[in-house]
Each structure stands twice: as C-alpha cells, then as structure tokens.
C-alpha cells in the first residue's frame, strides 16, 4: 500500500501567501507594495507569516481596510487579502471608488458570489483593479494538522435542542468550505447521528459541494481509491476531555496561560519581573524548534529536554567568557544575533515552565489530577463511595489521607472536579451532586452544574434513535447505565503507565475504529449525507471537525495517530480551541 503524503497546513497556507505576494515586476525593477487586510484576514496572515517574511516580498506597509486614518500613497501598488463579506465588499467598493493607491490586486480568502463581484465592478470606474482571485484560506492554522474557524463566536445556545448560534454556523460553513477547497478534495460528509447541530452542518456542507459551488468541485480528481472524509463531531459527546487537567507542554500552556488562537501568542505581562521582550511570547512550531520538539512532551520529559537545551546553549556560547584574540571576537560578533535569539527563546521556555510548575503546586494539581484521572478513565460505577469521599476532601478542604493540612484548592478547580463527578454519576442511585451544591452554596456552581448536565448529560447524549451510540462504541451491549457507557467510550492509554495520563479522549476511540477496522464506522451511528460509490470503506484522508471546540490534547493524539499510521492523513479542526475555563464560560455565556 502506498504511503499517504502527510498534509502540513502551514505549507498549504504559505503556498497561498506566496501566490498572493508574488511580484509580476521585471527582474531589474523594484516595487514597494502595501498589503491591505481586514479584521478576518489579519489574524490568518499573522499565524503563518512574519514581518520579516513580508519585507522579503517587498511589502513594507500593512494596513487595515477598516482604518479611517490611512494616508493616500498613489505611487504604491496595493495587494488586498480580504474576506468576501457584505461589510468588506461595501468598504472595498468605497476604497476603489476613491483610491488611496495606484492599483489593486484583490485576493479573496473564500468564494465570492456573482452579485458581490458585480458590486465591485460597478465601483471600479477608474479601472484600477488589475486582478480578482479566490484563494481558499478562510481558517486559522494553529498547528501543522490543526485549524479552527475564523472569528467564530460561541456556537452554543442555551440548549442543544435549540441549535446553532447563526453567526457561528455561517463561520463554520465558510471555514470548512475554504478548508476542503484549499486541500483540493471532494469529501464524503459524515456526522454524529445524535447531534442536530452536526446534522445541520453536514447538510449545509452537502449543499455547498453539490449545489452552490458544484463547479469548483467538479474537476477535483480523486487522490486514491477511497474518497476523503469530513467527519463532524459534537463536543457534547465528550465533555470529559476539556474538564481534565492535561499534562503535555502545549496543552498545559493553554490550560494555565491561554494560547490566543488568532495569533498563537501567550500574554505574560501579568507575571512579575518579566522583561519587555517576554511580555507577549509566540508559540509557533515552525518558528521555534524547541517548541516543535517538545509541544507534545509530558511534564517529566519536558524538564529533561529543557535541561538539554540549557546545556546546549552553554556549549554554543562558551566563547563569551573566553575572548582572547581577534579571531574569538570576530566569531562572537558574527554569531551574536543567533546567540541572542537562542537566549531569548530559552528564557521564554524557562519562564513558561516555571510558571506552569508554580501553578501546579499552588493549585495542588498533582493531587487533584491523579484523582480525576482515576475517576474518568474507567466506566466502573462501583467506586462511587470512594470517589465521593475523595471529592468531598477537596471540595471541603479536609485534611489529606495522611492527616496533612493543606491549603484550599481554588474554586475553579473545585468546579472542574464537581463537574466530572456530576457527569459520571448523574444517574447513580447514591449520586450526591445536589447535596454537594447545597453544602457549597456557591451561586456559580449551582447555576453551572445543571447547565452542564442539560448540555451534555445522559438525556442530551442519548436523544433520538441513536440512543445506543455510546453503548455500541463501548462494546457495552446496552446493559450498563448510560453514563457508564459514556466513560466506557474513553479508554485508558495503553501506551502510558503514567498515572496522570490514563485518559484518552473519545476522539481516539472513534478514529481507531475508523482506521483499524475493515468496515470503518457504522453507517447508522455516523451516517453520510452524500454517500458515493467507493471500493473501500476506510478513507485515507480524514478531516475531523468538532462543533463546540477542540482541546490540544486531542490535537496531540491526532499527531500520534498520524505518526503511527503512515497510510492515513488526519487533520482536525473545530469552532474554537478549548481549555477548561473556555469550556465552562462558553456554556455559561450560552445561557444568557
């Protein structure tokens, strides 16, 4: 079997940027150019390019279409990279009707409708628009195999029964359409049968492929004997993963410090004694070799690799303290910029790991994480009493089992633990969720837990004819309590003896069944909206899209599946990125 070529989303994006910024000037001429962006495309560029890269392409000025203070520079050419929305088309029409630059090359990051194109043509009385091109880059590239929808608001409303937030729905359609066009694939669309939101998105994508934009897909040639697949999942079917504390580097950074998904930066300005250069740091694997090497490392391995990084830096800069000749001085000066770059990057990772370590100890994560991993990596409900006893110890700030008096854990940590207990033991005869809420008397807890169960409790997950989905995925035969069936769907990590990394997301279970069984996923549980004739059930190219957001731990497992399955190429995306705080706040916001 031929090895499937792995897709690097950074390369896909950079190929488009190269196309946008390519110059049509002669070899001996120079052309200083302006790059005009809007609120949607500015983050797309910032995620995959740098100011120095733009300068190499002779782009010396980057402006925003929305800005009212731009100067007229009629001697400069303008490259526009814009989203073809109504607002952008209106502003662009005004721009070319009263131009600030000598000419305009317009690149839209998604499909532009005929009516919007006609509006631009009518405004171009001066004939200064030289080209209009569609380039499909209407999504954020966050990792080599991970993307999210652009500027997507919280997709959730007060109840899964109500469905999508309209703006988030349109954003997801736009980004998914752009994504599959950028990969030049015409996929089969499958979705989770217990999700009305997934059903609606799947059918919208079917319409885009087969009707609205059929001409764009008609000439796409198949890559292999199997068609690519877009698999649409719903976060409500795995509320556990975003609530568990993760233990790999990228995931810990996002959980404790938050990685901004519009520019892959982390704000460290709130930390004491942080220099100006480290107040905002960039977490980008293509710009940071150490981060690329360690982003999926667990905390123990990270410490070892950081020590190696320090030792390597000392070795490279040992001439600093031994400059005894002109030759030594010349070597130092020639390499000083590289030394400084390494030093700054080393300082960045030292600062990040120190802050993570500090918070782990302050919040007593070592204790709480072991407890939550034990509780959530098995479907066994017979441990209810011992789990409840341990939970009460944390919630009520009781002494440790050895009698040690510890400082209380933060309220947010208590809410995470209580949420995990409430989901697992929701239908257990001795479940004490209500009693615990009354005892704690915390308004946020009392409002959030019922909302959580409404969104992803057993009734929400098991609604409709697809009610046995978890039992079947978990090989449970329908005999176990529905909540236990949910946890049966999360397996222990057989490749790890780490007590803090026992849990595997539900996504892993789904993908392993898709890739490692001859029949693939069940058509009843994961139906297709555009089933076509293929010679094999198992696709080689899979795009997963998660409504409600993606956790970096899920991204890590997708990376590992790609590494261990050379015949398959898996890409993952979603409406947004998640950590426990984002997941909780999204649900709270959905009820207001």
């Amino acid at each position: 079997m031929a090895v499937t070529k792995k897709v690097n989303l950074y390369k896909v994006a950079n190929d488009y940027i190269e196309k946008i910024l390519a110059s049509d000037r002669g070899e001996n001429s120079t052309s200083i150019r302006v790059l005009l962006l809007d609120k949607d495309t500015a983050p797309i560029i910032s995620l995959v390019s740098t100011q120095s890269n733009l300068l190499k392409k002779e782009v010396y000025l980057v402006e925003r279409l929305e800005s009212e203070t731009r100067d007229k520079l009629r001697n400069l050419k303008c490259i526009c990279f814009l989203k073809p929305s109504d607002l952008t088309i209106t502003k662009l029409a005004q721009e070319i009707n009263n131009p600030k630059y000598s000419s305009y090359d317009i690149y839209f990051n998604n499909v532009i409708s005929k009516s919007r194109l006609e509006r631009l043509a009518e405004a171009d009385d001066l004939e200064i628009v030289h080209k209009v091109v569609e380039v499909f880059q209407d999504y954020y590239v966050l990792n080599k195999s991970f993307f999210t929808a652009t500027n997507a608001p919280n997709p959730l409303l007060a109840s899964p029964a109500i469905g999508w937030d309209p703006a988030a729905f349109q954003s997801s359609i736009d980004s998914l359409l752009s994504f599959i066009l950028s990969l030049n694939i015409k996929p089969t669309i499958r979705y989770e049968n217990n999700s009305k939101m997934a059903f609606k998105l799947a059918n919208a994508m079917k319409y885009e492929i087969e009707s609205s934009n059929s001409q764009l897909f008609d000439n796409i040639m198949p890559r292999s004997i199997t068609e690519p697949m877009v698999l649409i999942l719903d976060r409500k079917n795995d509320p556990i993963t975003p609530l568990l504390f993760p233990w790999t580097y990228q995931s810990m950074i996002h959980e404790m410090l938050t990685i901004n998904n519009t520019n892959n930066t982390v704000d460290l300005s709130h930390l004491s004694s942080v220099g100006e250069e480290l107040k905002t740091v960039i977490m980008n694997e293509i710009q940071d070799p150490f981060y690329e090497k360690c982003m999926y490392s667990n905390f123990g391995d990270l410490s070892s690799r950081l020590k190696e990084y320090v030792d390597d830096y000392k070795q490279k800069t040992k001439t600093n303290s031994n400059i005894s000749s002109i030759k030594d001085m010349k070597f130092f000066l020639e390499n000083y910029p590289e030394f400084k770059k390494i030093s700054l990057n080393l300082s960045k990772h030292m600062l990040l790991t120190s802050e993570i370590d500090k918070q782990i100890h302050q919040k007593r994560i070592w204790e709480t994480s072991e407890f939550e991993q034990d509780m959530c990596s098995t479907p066994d409900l017979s441990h209810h009493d011992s789990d409840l006893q341990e939970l009460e110890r944390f919630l009520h700030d009781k002494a440790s089992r050895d009698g040690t008096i510890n400082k209380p854990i933060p309220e947010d940590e208590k809410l995470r633990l209580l949420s995990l207990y409430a989901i697992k033991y929701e239908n257990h005869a001795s479940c004490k969720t209500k009693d615990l809420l009354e005892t704690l008397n915390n308004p946020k807890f009392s409002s959030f837990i019922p909302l959580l169960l409404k969104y992803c409790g057993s009734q929400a997950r098991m609604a409709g004819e697809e009610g046995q989905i978890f039992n079947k995925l978990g090989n449970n035969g329908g005999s176990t309590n529905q909540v236990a069936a949910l946890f049966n769907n999360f397996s222990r990590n057989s490749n790890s003896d780490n007590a803090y990394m026992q849990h595997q997301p539900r996504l892993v279970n789904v993908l392993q069944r898709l890739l490692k069984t001859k029949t693939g996923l069940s058509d009843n549980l994961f139906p297709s909206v555009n089933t076509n004739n293929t010679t094999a059930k198992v696709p080689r190219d899979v795009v997963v899209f998660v409504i409600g957001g993606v956790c970096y731990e899920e991204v890590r497992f997708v990376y590992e599946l790609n590494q261990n399955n050379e015949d398959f190429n898996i890409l993952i995306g979603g409406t947004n990125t998640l950590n426990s705080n984002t997941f909780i706040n999204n649900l709270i916001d959905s009820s207001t």
Side-chain angles (χ1 to χ4, degrees), residues 448-475:
F448 176 73
I449 297 298
L451 185 64
L452 175 69
L453 296 178
K454 183 179 181 181
Y455 167 66
C456 59
S458 59
Q459 292 302 311
R461 297 193 310 272
M462 305 308 236
E465 297 179 357
E466 66 287 343
Q468 297 303 312
I469 182 171
F470 291 97
N471 291 334
K472 292 179 181 179
L473 277 175
N475 291 324

Side-chain angles (χ1 to χ4, degrees), residues 12-72:
V12 173
N14 276 309
D15 286 347
Y16 275 120
I17 292 173
E18 288 290 319
K19 179 179 181 179
I20 292 169
L21 301 181
S23 175
D24 55 5
R25 59 183 173 80
E27 290 184 5
N28 297 323
S29 64
T30 59
S31 177
I32 298 174
R33 298 176 294 170
V34 178
L35 178 61
L36 190 62
L37 307 172
D38 61 22
K39 65 179 180 62
D40 295 294
T41 57
I44 294 171
I45 290 289
S46 69
L47 282 165
V48 296
S49 189
T50 62
Q51 189 68 38
S52 60
N53 289 337
L54 295 179
L55 288 172
K56 291 177 183 177
K57 296 295 181 180
E58 296 181 332
V59 173
Y60 289 88
L61 183 62
V62 179
E63 293 278 20
R64 292 281 289 269
L65 179 63
E66 302 90 351
S67 173
E68 301 292 339
T69 59
R70 284 183 289 124
D71 296 326
K72 277 196 173 186

Side-chain angles (χ1 to χ4, degrees), residues 420-523:
L420 292 167
Y421 169 84
I423 293 170
K424 178 166 185 177
Y425 292 109
E426 177 186 11
N427 295 332
H428 192 279
S430 300
C431 179
K432 299 297 183 183
T433 300
K434 290 184 178 179
D435 295 341
L436 291 169
L437 288 173
E438 290 178 4
T439 304
L440 292 167
N441 193 28
N442 185 312
K444 182 177 180 179
F445 291 14
S446 299
S447 62
F448 176 73
I449 297 298
L451 185 64
L452 175 69
L453 296 178
K454 183 179 181 181
Y455 167 66
C456 59
S458 59
Q459 292 302 311
R461 297 193 310 272
M462 305 308 236
E465 297 179 357
E466 66 287 343
Q468 297 303 312
I469 182 171
F470 291 97
N471 291 334
K472 292 179 181 179
L473 277 175
N475 291 324
N476 212 25
S479 61
T480 306
N481 179 284
Q482 289 180 347
V483 178
L486 167 65
F487 282 83
N488 229 353
N489 202 24
F490 307 118
S491 55
R492 286 178 181 266
N493 186 351
S494 59
N495 297 322
S496 174
D497 56 3
N498 189 329
Y500 300 97
M501 298 179 68
Q502 301 174 57
H503 170 269
Q504 287 190 150
R506 174 177 181 268
L507 174 67
V508 179
N509 190 303
V510 173
L511 289 176
Q512 286 178 338
R513 288 176 181 272
L514 173 64
L515 303 180
K516 296 185 178 181
T517 60
K518 293 182 179 180
T519 58
L521 295 175
S522 163
D523 290 334

Side-chain angles (χ1 to χ4, degrees), residues 156-187:
L156 310 176
L157 293 177
S159 166
I162 298 175
W164 281 90
D165 171 85
F169 182 61
Q170 190 58 52
S171 175
S172 296
I173 293 173
D174 291 344
S175 291
L176 255 184
L177 175 64
S178 172
F179 187 76
I180 60 178
L181 285 170
S182 72
L183 299 181
N184 197 35
I185 60 174
K186 185 178 181 180

Side-chain angles (χ1 to χ4, degrees), residues 14 57 60 128 143 209 220 229 299 322 404 406 533 560:
N14 276 309
K57 296 295 181 180
Y60 289 88
I128 58 171
N143 277 8
I209 294 171
I220 292 178
M229 176 190 295
F299 200 44
N322 189 32
T404 304
N406 296 301
N533 293 325
E560 292 178 352

